[in-house]
Amino acid sequence: MGKEEFLSWQVGSVKITRVAELGGPPFPATFMFHEATPELVQRYAWLRPHFAHEDGRLFGSIHSFVIESGGRRIIVDTCVGNDKARSIQAWNLLQGPFLADLALAGFPAESIDTVLCTHLHVDHVGWNTRLVEGKWVPTFPNARYLFGRREWEHWSSEQAEHRDGDVMGDSVRPIIDAGLAKLVDMDQALTAEVRLEPTPGHTPGHVSVRISSRGEEAVITGDLMHHPLQCAEPELANNFDVDAAAARRTRREFLARYSNRPVLVLGTHFAPPTGGWVVDAERNWRFEIVPPADSDKA
Ligand SMILES: [Zn+2]
């Protein structure tokens, strides 16, 4: 990494830039979906070459989107983060150049005024904090951090299942303690052009992000879908869905709502080129790539 290609999209007067933390080699589909066989992946030729390998493994990505709207700079999801003890080996005690890349893309951490976590899973809150002299401090000191109220209530309760290390303790509570957090409703407006959209299931308070500007529209999925494969196979449950049935319902509703319309769908874990249209297909839907407006080589 370091030499990162920053994909960006213009939606009316809003600009959205993708800054990646992790991508790389293909992985077995079962890492995301217990029930996905290589044969199932191979059935959909349109997944290749960007989203699937010929052998049926999948490509994915962990990235943030920075939304520039009305003078604001909103970072959507903050990836895995550095120095964090995690149970998934590829995410454990990372030492990546994400913050440098973010600055290289034009967004030094101090310039971010809003952090939005679509949900409070390990790969969406990591860069909320960084380790300074043995303490977790807010990475974005001038930002308001928006967490869904419903989401916060779920993960801060005793009953919630935590299996990824102390995600709340190292990446969420320090933000609350610093007084930078704001708990928001699932349909909160962030600017005149950007608002949250409730998409519960993967987690109870999960939200997507809707962008509308000058007649153009986009939506950032969050984890209501993890891979374009789920356009064709919306019943395919992600291994980390808290409520798989609700997630399926939300996914089908989302795909029906945004298909065959000029709404740019930006997948939170979709490998480059990451953005596209959802269109009708022989079986359910498929994801049709939209080339980004411009991609600056850093
Ligand atoms: Zn995720």
Side-chain angles (χ1 to χ4, degrees), residues 59 109 121 141 260:
F59 292 104
H121 268 164
N260 310 310

Side-chain angles (χ1 to χ4, degrees), residues 74-104:
I74 304 162
I75 188 167
V76 178
D77 289 330
T78 61
C79 306
V80 173
N82 277 2
D83 300 302
K84 300 200 160 160
R86 296 296 183 243
S87 49
I88 292 176
Q89 206 207 325
W91 298 353
N92 188 39
L93 303 176
L94 269 191
Q95 294 298 323
F98 178 80
L99 277 192
D101 286 344
L102 190 64
L104 214 54

Side-chain angles (χ1 to χ4, degrees), residues 61-62 77 91 118-119 121-124 202 222-223 226 268-269:
S61 170
I62 295 179
D77 289 330
W91 298 353
T118 59
H119 60 300
H121 268 164
V122 55
D123 51 325
H124 298 261
H202 178 61
D223 282 6
H226 285 74
T268 291
H269 288 304

Side-chain angles (χ1 to χ4, degrees), residues 79 119-126 151 155 163-164 167 202-203 223 226 238 240-242:
C79 306
H119 60 300
L120 299 181
H121 268 164
V122 55
D123 51 325
H124 298 261
V125 300
E151 186 71 3
W155 293 108
R163 49 180 170 181
D164 298 299
V167 175
H202 178 61
T203 63
D223 282 6
H226 285 74
N238 172 259
F240 302 95
D241 285 344
V242 171

Side-chain angles (χ1 to χ4, degrees), residues 126-149:
W127 278 108
N128 283 359
T129 58
R130 59 196 179 94
L131 193 60
V132 177
E133 291 166 5
K135 283 183 62 181
W136 297 110
V137 303
T139 304
F140 305 100
N142 301 315
R144 267 289 195 203
Y145 287 67
L146 311 183
F147 304 135
R149 183 175 292 111

